[in-house]
Amino acid sequence: MESMMVPLLYLILAGAYLLVIPVAVLFYLNKRWYVASSIERAFMYFLIFFFFPGLLVLSPFVNLRPKRRQIEA
């Protein structure tokens, strides 16, 4: 049983690094991308750099385009 703890821990950490945390980062980026201050934007770039492998895995399923504007006459 004890010999299974290390591979299980690696599996949990890999899942968190490749899936769980990048999903949270994507939600954060989607909420704050167009209203962030310069310091917050530097933090966003750090998150993108640090979690790049997971963001690359999730990138085919993400749409970060801005919402369509409503033009009123």
Side-chain angles (χ1 to χ4, degrees):
M1 181 66 176
E2 193 170 308
S3 63
M4 290 297 294
M5 291 297 265
V6 173
L8 183 63
L9 181 62
Y10 272 110
L11 189 63
I12 291 170
L13 288 175
Y17 181 70
L18 289 175
L19 293 175
V20 177
I21 298 173
V23 167
V25 168
L26 284 173
F27 280 124
Y28 171 67
L29 293 176
N30 200 17
K31 281 281 192 202
R32 299 289 303 166
W33 188 260
Y34 294 102
V35 293
S37 66
S38 59
I39 295 172
E40 187 178 6
R41 191 163 302 275
F43 176 67
M44 288 175 171
Y45 291 146
F46 166 75
L47 288 176
I48 292 170
F49 174 75
F50 194 75
F51 295 107
F52 181 74
L55 292 171
L56 195 61
V57 168
L58 297 174
S59 64
F61 311 106
V62 175
N63 178 8
L64 291 178
R65 288 181 280 183
K67 292 180 177 56
R68 180 173 282 200
R69 293 187 306 166
Q70 295 294 330
I71 299 175
E72 297 179 20

Coordinates of all heavy atoms in Angstrom, one line a residue:
M1 N 0.8 -1.2 0.0 CA 0.0 0.0 0.0 C 0.9 1.3 0.0 O 0.5 2.2 -0.7 CB -0.9 0.0 1.2 CG -1.8 1.1 1.3 SD -3.0 1.1 0.0 CE -4.0 2.4 0.4
E2 N 1.9 1.2 0.8 CA 2.8 2.4 0.8 C 3.5 2.7 -0.5 O 3.8 3.8 -0.8 CB 3.8 2.2 2.0 CG 4.5 3.5 2.3 CD 5.3 3.3 3.6 OE1 4.8 2.9 4.6 OE2 6.5 3.7 3.5
S3 N 3.8 1.6 -1.2 CA 4.5 1.8 -2.5 C 3.6 2.5 -3.5 O 4.0 3.0 -4.6 CB 5.0 0.5 -3.0 OG 3.9 -0.4 -3.3
M4 N 2.3 2.4 -3.3 CA 1.3 3.1 -4.3 C 1.1 4.6 -4.0 O 0.5 5.3 -4.8 CB 0.0 2.4 -4.2 CG 0.0 1.0 -4.8 SD 0.3 1.0 -6.5 CE -1.1 1.8 -7.2
M5 N 1.6 5.0 -2.8 CA 1.4 6.4 -2.4 C 2.1 7.4 -3.3 O 1.6 8.4 -3.7 CB 1.8 6.6 -1.0 CG 0.9 6.0 0.0 SD -0.8 6.6 -0.1 CE -0.7 7.8 1.2
V6 N 3.3 7.1 -3.7 CA 4.2 8.0 -4.5 C 3.6 8.1 -5.9 O 3.4 9.3 -6.4 CB 5.6 7.6 -4.5 CG1 6.4 8.4 -5.5 CG2 6.2 7.6 -3.1
P7 N 3.3 7.0 -6.6 CA 2.7 7.2 -8.0 C 1.3 7.9 -7.9 O 1.0 8.7 -8.8 CB 2.5 5.8 -8.5 CG 3.5 5.0 -7.7 CD 3.6 5.6 -6.4
L8 N 0.5 7.7 -6.9 CA -0.8 8.3 -6.7 C -0.6 9.8 -6.5 O -1.3 10.6 -7.0 CB -1.5 7.7 -5.6 CG -2.9 8.2 -5.3 CD1 -3.8 8.0 -6.5 CD2 -3.5 7.6 -4.1
L9 N 0.4 10.2 -5.7 CA 0.7 11.6 -5.4 C 1.2 12.3 -6.7 O 0.7 13.4 -7.0 CB 1.8 11.7 -4.3 CG 2.2 13.1 -4.0 CD1 1.0 13.9 -3.4 CD2 3.4 13.1 -3.0
Y10 N 2.0 11.6 -7.5 CA 2.4 12.2 -8.8 C 1.2 12.4 -9.7 O 1.1 13.3 -10.4 CB 3.5 11.3 -9.4 CG 4.9 11.6 -9.0 CD1 5.6 10.7 -8.2 CD2 5.5 12.8 -9.5 CE1 6.9 11.0 -7.9 CE2 6.8 13.1 -9.1 CZ 7.5 12.2 -8.3 OH 8.7 12.5 -8.0
L11 N 0.3 11.4 -9.7 CA -0.9 11.5 -10.6 C -1.8 12.7 -10.2 O -2.3 13.4 -11.0 CB -1.6 10.2 -10.5 CG -2.8 10.0 -11.5 CD1 -2.2 10.0 -12.9 CD2 -3.5 8.7 -11.2
I12 N -1.9 12.8 -8.9 CA -2.7 13.9 -8.4 C -2.1 15.3 -8.7 O -2.8 16.2 -9.2 CB -3.0 13.8 -6.9 CG1 -3.9 12.6 -6.6 CG2 -3.6 15.1 -6.3 CD1 -4.0 12.2 -5.1
L13 N -0.8 15.4 -8.5 CA -0.1 16.7 -8.8 C -0.1 17.0 -10.3 O -0.3 18.1 -10.7 CB 1.3 16.6 -8.3 CG 1.5 16.7 -6.7 CD1 2.9 16.5 -6.3 CD2 0.9 18.0 -6.2
A14 N 0.1 15.9 -11.1 CA 0.0 16.1 -12.6 C -1.3 16.6 -13.0 O -1.5 17.4 -13.9 CB 0.5 14.9 -13.3
G15 N -2.4 15.9 -12.5 CA -3.7 16.3 -12.8 C -4.0 17.8 -12.4 O -4.7 18.5 -13.2
A16 N -3.6 18.2 -11.3 CA -3.8 19.5 -10.8 C -3.0 20.5 -11.7 O -3.6 21.6 -12.1 CB -3.3 19.7 -9.4
Y17 N -1.8 20.2 -12.1 CA -1.0 21.1 -12.9 C -1.5 21.2 -14.3 O -1.4 22.2 -14.9 CB 0.5 20.6 -12.9 CG 1.4 21.5 -13.7 CD1 1.7 22.8 -13.2 CD2 2.0 21.0 -14.8 CE1 2.6 23.6 -13.9 CE2 2.8 21.8 -15.6 CZ 3.1 23.1 -15.1 OH 4.0 23.9 -15.9
L18 N -2.0 20.1 -14.9 CA -2.4 20.1 -16.3 C -3.8 20.4 -16.5 O -4.2 20.8 -17.6 CB -2.0 18.7 -16.9 CG -0.5 18.4 -17.1 CD1 -0.3 17.0 -17.6 CD2 0.1 19.4 -18.0
L19 N -4.7 20.2 -15.5 CA -6.1 20.4 -15.7 C -6.8 21.3 -14.8 O -7.5 22.3 -15.2 CB -6.8 19.0 -15.7 CG -6.5 18.1 -16.8 CD1 -7.2 16.7 -16.6 CD2 -6.9 18.6 -18.2
V20 N -6.7 21.1 -13.5 CA -7.5 21.8 -12.5 C -7.1 23.3 -12.4 O -7.9 24.2 -12.6 CB -7.4 21.1 -11.1 CG1 -8.1 21.9 -10.1 CG2 -7.9 19.7 -11.2
I21 N -5.8 23.5 -12.2 CA -5.3 24.9 -12.0 C -5.5 25.7 -13.3 O -5.9 26.9 -13.3 CB -3.9 25.0 -11.4 CG1 -3.9 24.3 -10.0 CG2 -3.4 26.4 -11.4 CD1 -2.6 24.1 -9.4
P22 N -5.1 25.1 -14.5 CA -5.3 25.9 -15.8 C -6.8 26.3 -16.0 O -7.0 27.3 -16.6 CB -4.8 25.0 -16.8 CG -3.7 24.2 -16.1 CD -4.3 23.9 -14.8
V23 N -7.7 25.4 -15.6 CA -9.1 25.8 -15.8 C -9.4 27.0 -14.9 O -10.1 28.0 -15.4 CB -10.0 24.6 -15.4 CG1 -11.5 25.1 -15.3 CG2 -9.9 23.5 -16.5
A24 N -8.9 27.0 -13.7 CA -9.1 28.2 -12.8 C -8.5 29.4 -13.4 O -9.0 30.5 -13.4 CB -8.6 27.9 -11.4
V25 N -7.3 29.3 -13.9 CA -6.6 30.4 -14.6 C -7.4 30.9 -15.8 O -7.5 32.1 -15.9 CB -5.1 30.0 -15.0 CG1 -4.5 31.0 -15.9 CG2 -4.3 29.7 -13.8
L26 N -7.9 30.0 -16.6 CA -8.7 30.5 -17.7 C -9.9 31.3 -17.3 O -10.3 32.3 -17.9 CB -9.1 29.3 -18.6 CG -8.0 28.7 -19.4 CD1 -8.5 27.4 -20.1 CD2 -7.5 29.7 -20.5
F27 N -10.6 30.8 -16.3 CA -11.8 31.6 -15.8 C -11.4 32.9 -15.3 O -12.0 33.9 -15.5 CB -12.5 30.8 -14.7 CG -13.4 29.7 -15.2 CD1 -13.3 28.4 -14.7 CD2 -14.4 30.0 -16.1 CE1 -14.1 27.4 -15.2 CE2 -15.3 29.0 -16.6 CZ -15.1 27.7 -16.1
Y28 N -10.2 33.0 -14.5 CA -9.7 34.3 -14.0 C -9.4 35.2 -15.2 O -9.7 36.4 -15.2 CB -8.5 34.0 -13.1 CG -7.8 35.2 -12.7 CD1 -8.3 36.2 -11.9 CD2 -6.5 35.5 -13.2 CE1 -7.6 37.3 -11.5 CE2 -5.8 36.6 -12.8 CZ -6.4 37.5 -12.0 OH -5.7 38.6 -11.7
L29 N -8.7 34.7 -16.2 CA -8.3 35.5 -17.4 C -9.5 36.0 -18.1 O -9.5 37.1 -18.6 CB -7.4 34.7 -18.3 CG -6.0 34.3 -17.8 CD1 -5.3 33.5 -18.8 CD2 -5.2 35.6 -17.4
N30 N -10.5 35.1 -18.3 CA -11.7 35.5 -19.0 C -12.4 36.6 -18.3 O -13.0 37.5 -18.9 CB -12.6 34.3 -19.1 CG -13.6 34.5 -20.2 OD1 -13.4 35.3 -21.1 ND2 -14.6 33.7 -20.2
K31 N -12.4 36.7 -16.9 CA -13.1 37.7 -16.2 C -12.4 39.0 -16.2 O -13.0 40.1 -16.2 CB -13.3 37.2 -14.7 CG -14.4 36.3 -14.5 CD -15.7 37.1 -14.5 CE -16.8 36.2 -14.0 NZ -18.1 36.7 -14.4
R32 N -11.0 39.0 -16.1 CA -10.2 40.2 -15.8 C -9.4 40.7 -17.0 O -8.8 41.7 -16.8 CB -9.3 39.9 -14.6 CG -10.0 39.5 -13.3 CD -10.7 40.7 -12.7 NE -9.7 41.7 -12.5 CZ -10.1 43.0 -12.2 NH1 -11.3 43.3 -12.1 NH2 -9.1 43.9 -12.0
W33 N -9.4 40.0 -18.1 CA -8.4 40.4 -19.2 C -8.5 41.8 -19.6 O -7.5 42.5 -19.8 CB -8.6 39.4 -20.3 CG -7.5 39.6 -21.4 CD1 -7.6 40.3 -22.5 CD2 -6.2 39.2 -21.3 NE1 -6.4 40.3 -23.2 CE2 -5.5 39.6 -22.4 CE3 -5.5 38.4 -20.3 CZ2 -4.2 39.3 -22.7 CZ3 -4.1 38.1 -20.6 CH2 -3.5 38.5 -21.7
Y34 N -9.7 42.4 -19.8 CA -9.9 43.7 -20.4 C -10.0 44.8 -19.4 O -10.1 46.0 -19.7 CB -11.2 43.7 -21.2 CG -11.0 42.8 -22.5 CD1 -11.6 41.6 -22.5 CD2 -10.3 43.2 -23.5 CE1 -11.5 40.8 -23.6 CE2 -10.1 42.4 -24.7 CZ -10.7 41.2 -24.7 OH -10.6 40.4 -25.8
V35 N -9.9 44.5 -18.1 CA -10.0 45.5 -17.0 C -8.9 45.5 -16.1 O -8.9 46.2 -15.0 CB -11.4 45.4 -16.3 CG1 -12.5 45.7 -17.2 CG2 -11.5 44.0 -15.6
A36 N -7.8 44.7 -16.3 CA -6.7 44.5 -15.4 C -5.8 45.7 -15.4 O -5.6 46.3 -16.4 CB -6.0 43.3 -15.7
S37 N -5.2 46.0 -14.2 CA -4.2 47.0 -14.1 C -2.8 46.4 -14.6 O -2.8 45.2 -15.0 CB -4.0 47.4 -12.7 OG -3.5 46.4 -11.9
S38 N -1.8 47.2 -14.7 CA -0.5 46.8 -15.3 C 0.1 45.7 -14.4 O 0.7 44.8 -14.9 CB 0.4 47.9 -15.5 OG 0.6 48.6 -14.2
I39 N 0.0 45.9 -13.1 CA 0.6 44.9 -12.1 C -0.2 43.6 -12.2 O 0.4 42.5 -12.3 CB 0.6 45.4 -10.7 CG1 1.5 46.6 -10.6 CG2 1.0 44.3 -9.7 CD1 1.5 47.3 -9.3
E40 N -1.5 43.6 -12.3 CA -2.3 42.4 -12.4 C -2.0 41.8 -13.8 O -2.0 40.5 -13.9 CB -3.8 42.8 -12.3 CG -4.7 41.6 -12.3 CD -6.1 41.9 -12.1 OE1 -6.5 43.1 -12.1 OE2 -6.9 41.0 -11.9
R41 N -1.8 42.6 -14.8 CA -1.5 42.0 -16.1 C -0.2 41.2 -16.1 O 0.0 40.2 -16.7 CB -1.5 43.1 -17.2 CG -1.5 42.5 -18.6 CD -1.8 43.5 -19.6 NE -3.2 44.1 -19.4 CZ -4.3 43.5 -19.9 NH1 -4.3 42.4 -20.5 NH2 -5.4 44.1 -19.7
A42 N 0.8 41.8 -15.4 CA 2.1 41.1 -15.3 C 1.9 39.7 -14.5 O 2.5 38.7 -14.9 CB 3.1 41.9 -14.5
F43 N 1.0 39.7 -13.5 CA 0.7 38.5 -12.8 C 0.0 37.5 -13.7 O 0.3 36.3 -13.7 CB -0.2 38.8 -11.6 CG -0.7 37.6 -10.9 CD1 0.3 36.8 -10.2 CD2 -2.0 37.2 -10.8 CE1 -0.2 35.7 -9.5 CE2 -2.4 36.1 -10.2 CZ -1.5 35.3 -9.5
M44 N -0.9 38.0 -14.6 CA -1.6 37.1 -15.6 C -0.5 36.5 -16.5 O -0.6 35.3 -16.8 CB -2.6 37.9 -16.4 CG -3.8 38.3 -15.7 SD -4.8 39.4 -16.7 CE -6.3 39.5 -15.8
Y45 N 0.4 37.3 -17.0 CA 1.4 36.7 -17.9 C 2.3 35.7 -17.2 O 2.7 34.7 -17.8 CB 2.3 37.9 -18.4 CG 1.6 38.8 -19.4 CD1 2.0 40.1 -19.5 CD2 0.7 38.3 -20.3 CE1 1.3 41.0 -20.3 CE2 0.0 39.2 -21.2 CZ 0.4 40.5 -21.2 OH -0.3 41.3 -22.1
F46 N 2.6 35.9 -15.9 CA 3.3 34.9 -15.1 C 2.5 33.6 -15.1 O 3.0 32.5 -15.2 CB 3.6 35.4 -13.7 CG 4.0 34.3 -12.8 CD1 5.3 33.8 -12.9 CD2 3.1 33.8 -11.8 CE1 5.6 32.7 -12.0 CE2 3.5 32.8 -11.0 CZ 4.8 32.2 -11.1
L47 N 1.2 33.7 -14.8 CA 0.3 32.5 -14.7 C 0.3 31.8 -16.0 O 0.4 30.5 -16.1 CB -1.1 32.9 -14.3 CG -1.3 33.3 -12.9 CD1 -2.8 33.7 -12.7 CD2 -1.0 32.2 -11.9
I48 N 0.2 32.5 -17.2 CA 0.2 31.9 -18.5 C 1.6 31.2 -18.7 O 1.6 30.0 -19.2 CB 0.0 32.9 -19.6 CG1 -1.5 33.4 -19.5 CG2 0.2 32.4 -20.9 CD1 -1.8 34.6 -20.3
F49 N 2.7 31.8 -18.3 CA 4.0 31.2 -18.5 C 4.1 29.9 -17.6 O 4.6 28.9 -18.1 CB 5.1 32.2 -18.2 CG 6.4 31.6 -18.2 CD1 7.1 31.3 -19.4 CD2 7.1 31.4 -17.0 CE1 8.3 30.8 -19.4 CE2 8.4 30.9 -17.0 CZ 9.0 30.5 -18.3
F50 N 3.7 30.0 -16.4 CA 3.9 28.9 -15.4 C 3.0 27.7 -15.7 O 3.5 26.6 -15.6 CB 3.6 29.5 -14.0 CG 4.1 28.5 -12.9 CD1 5.5 28.5 -12.7 CD2 3.3 27.8 -12.2 CE1 6.0 27.6 -11.7 CE2 3.7 26.9 -11.2 CZ 5.1 26.8 -10.9
F51 N 1.8 28.0 -16.2 CA 0.9 26.9 -16.4 C 0.7 26.6 -17.9 O -0.4 26.2 -18.4 CB -0.5 27.1 -15.8 CG -0.4 27.1 -14.3 CD1 -0.5 28.3 -13.6 CD2 -0.2 26.0 -13.6 CE1 -0.4 28.3 -12.2 CE2 -0.1 26.0 -12.2 CZ -0.2 27.1 -11.5
F52 N 1.7 27.0 -18.7 CA 1.6 26.9 -20.2 C 1.3 25.4 -20.7 O 0.4 25.3 -21.5 CB 2.9 27.3 -20.8 CG 2.9 27.3 -22.3 CD1 2.1 28.2 -23.0 CD2 3.6 26.3 -23.0 CE1 2.1 28.1 -24.4 CE2 3.5 26.2 -24.4 CZ 2.8 27.1 -25.1
P53 N 1.9 24.4 -20.1 CA 1.5 23.0 -20.6 C 0.0 22.7 -20.4 O -0.6 22.2 -21.3 CB 2.4 22.1 -19.8 CG 3.5 22.9 -19.3 CD 3.0 24.3 -19.2
G54 N -0.5 23.1 -19.3 CA -2.0 22.8 -19.1 C -2.8 23.7 -19.9 O -3.9 23.2 -20.4
L55 N -2.4 24.9 -20.1 CA -3.2 25.8 -21.0 C -3.1 25.4 -22.4 O -4.1 25.5 -23.2 CB -2.7 27.3 -20.9 CG -2.9 27.9 -19.5 CD1 -2.2 29.2 -19.4 CD2 -4.4 28.1 -19.3
L56 N -2.0 24.8 -22.8 CA -1.9 24.3 -24.2 C -2.8 23.1 -24.4 O -3.4 22.9 -25.4 CB -0.4 23.9 -24.4 CG 0.0 23.7 -25.9 CD1 -0.2 24.9 -26.7 CD2 1.4 23.2 -25.9
V57 N -3.0 22.2 -23.3 CA -3.9 21.1 -23.4 C -5.3 21.6 -23.6 O -6.1 21.0 -24.3 CB -3.7 20.2 -22.2 CG1 -4.8 19.2 -22.1 CG2 -2.3 19.5 -22.2
L58 N -5.7 22.6 -22.9 CA -7.1 23.1 -22.9 C -7.4 24.1 -24.0 O -8.5 24.4 -24.2 CB -7.4 23.8 -21.5 CG -7.3 22.9 -20.3 CD1 -7.5 23.7 -19.1 CD2 -8.3 21.8 -20.4
S59 N -6.4 24.6 -24.7 CA -6.6 25.6 -25.7 C -7.5 25.3 -26.8 O -8.2 26.2 -27.3 CB -5.2 26.1 -26.3 OG -4.6 25.0 -27.0
P60 N -7.7 24.1 -27.3 CA -8.7 23.8 -28.3 C -10.1 24.1 -27.9 O -11.0 24.2 -28.7 CB -8.5 22.4 -28.7 CG -7.1 22.0 -28.3 CD -6.8 22.9 -27.1
F61 N -10.4 24.1 -26.6 CA -11.7 24.2 -26.1 C -12.1 25.6 -25.6 O -13.1 25.8 -25.0 CB -11.9 23.2 -25.0 CG -11.5 21.8 -25.4 CD1 -10.3 21.3 -24.8 CD2 -12.2 21.0 -26.3 CE1 -9.9 20.0 -25.2 CE2 -11.8 19.8 -26.6 CZ -10.7 19.2 -26.1
V62 N -11.2 26.6 -25.8 CA -11.3 27.9 -25.1 C -11.6 28.9 -26.2 O -11.0 28.9 -27.3 CB -10.1 28.2 -24.3 CG1 -10.1 29.6 -23.8 CG2 -9.9 27.2 -23.2
N63 N -12.5 29.9 -25.9 CA -12.8 31.0 -26.7 C -12.7 32.3 -25.9 O -13.6 32.5 -25.1 CB -14.2 30.8 -27.4 CG -14.5 32.0 -28.2 OD1 -13.7 32.9 -28.5 ND2 -15.8 32.0 -28.7
L64 N -11.6 33.0 -26.0 CA -11.5 34.2 -25.2 C -11.8 35.5 -26.0 O -11.3 36.6 -25.6 CB -10.0 34.3 -24.7 CG -9.7 33.3 -23.7 CD1 -8.2 33.4 -23.2 CD2 -10.6 33.4 -22.5
R65 N -12.5 35.4 -27.1 CA -12.8 36.6 -27.8 C -13.8 37.5 -27.0 O -14.6 36.9 -26.3 CB -13.4 36.2 -29.2 CG -12.4 35.7 -30.1 CD -13.1 35.3 -31.4 NE -13.7 34.0 -31.3 CZ -14.4 33.4 -32.2 NH1 -14.5 33.9 -33.4 NH2 -14.9 32.2 -32.0
P66 N -13.7 38.8 -27.2 CA -14.7 39.6 -26.5 C -16.1 39.4 -26.9 O -16.3 39.0 -28.1 CB -14.2 41.1 -26.8 CG -13.3 40.9 -28.0 CD -12.8 39.5 -28.0
K67 N -17.0 39.8 -26.1 CA -18.4 39.6 -26.4 C -18.8 40.7 -27.4 O -18.2 41.7 -27.5 CB -19.3 39.8 -25.1 CG -19.1 38.7 -24.1 CD -19.9 39.0 -22.9 CE -19.8 37.8 -21.9 NZ -18.5 37.5 -21.5
R68 N -19.8 40.3 -28.3 CA -20.2 41.2 -29.3 C -20.9 42.4 -28.7 O -21.7 42.4 -27.8 CB -21.2 40.4 -30.2 CG -21.8 41.3 -31.3 CD -22.6 40.4 -32.2 NE -21.7 39.6 -33.1 CZ -22.0 39.1 -34.2 NH1 -23.2 39.1 -34.6 NH2 -21.1 38.4 -34.9
R69 N -20.6 43.6 -29.3 CA -21.2 44.8 -28.8 C -22.6 45.0 -29.4 O -22.9 44.6 -30.5 CB -20.3 46.0 -29.3 CG -19.0 46.1 -28.7 CD -18.3 47.4 -29.0 NE -18.2 47.6 -30.4 CZ -17.9 48.7 -31.0 NH1 -17.6 49.8 -30.3 NH2 -17.9 48.8 -32.3
Q70 N -23.4 45.6 -28.6 CA -24.8 46.0 -29.0 C -24.8 47.4 -29.5 O -24.5 48.3 -28.7 CB -25.7 45.8 -27.9 CG -25.9 44.4 -27.4 CD -26.5 43.4 -28.4 OE1 -27.3 43.9 -29.2 NE2 -26.1 42.2 -28.4
I71 N -25.1 47.6 -30.8 CA -25.1 49.0 -31.3 C -26.6 49.4 -31.3 O -27.5 48.8 -31.8 CB -24.6 49.0 -32.7 CG1 -23.1 48.5 -32.8 CG2 -24.8 50.4 -33.4 CD1 -22.6 48.4 -34.2
E72 N -26.7 50.5 -30.6 CA -28.1 51.1 -30.4 C -28.3 52.3 -31.3 O -27.4 53.2 -31.3 CB -28.4 51.4 -28.9 CG -28.3 50.2 -28.0 CD -28.5 50.6 -26.6 OE1 -29.1 51.6 -26.3 OE2 -28.1 49.8 -25.7
A73 N -29.4 52.4 -32.0 CA -29.6 53.5 -32.9 C -30.4 54.6 -32.2 O -31.1 54.4 -31.3 CB -30.4 53.0 -34.1

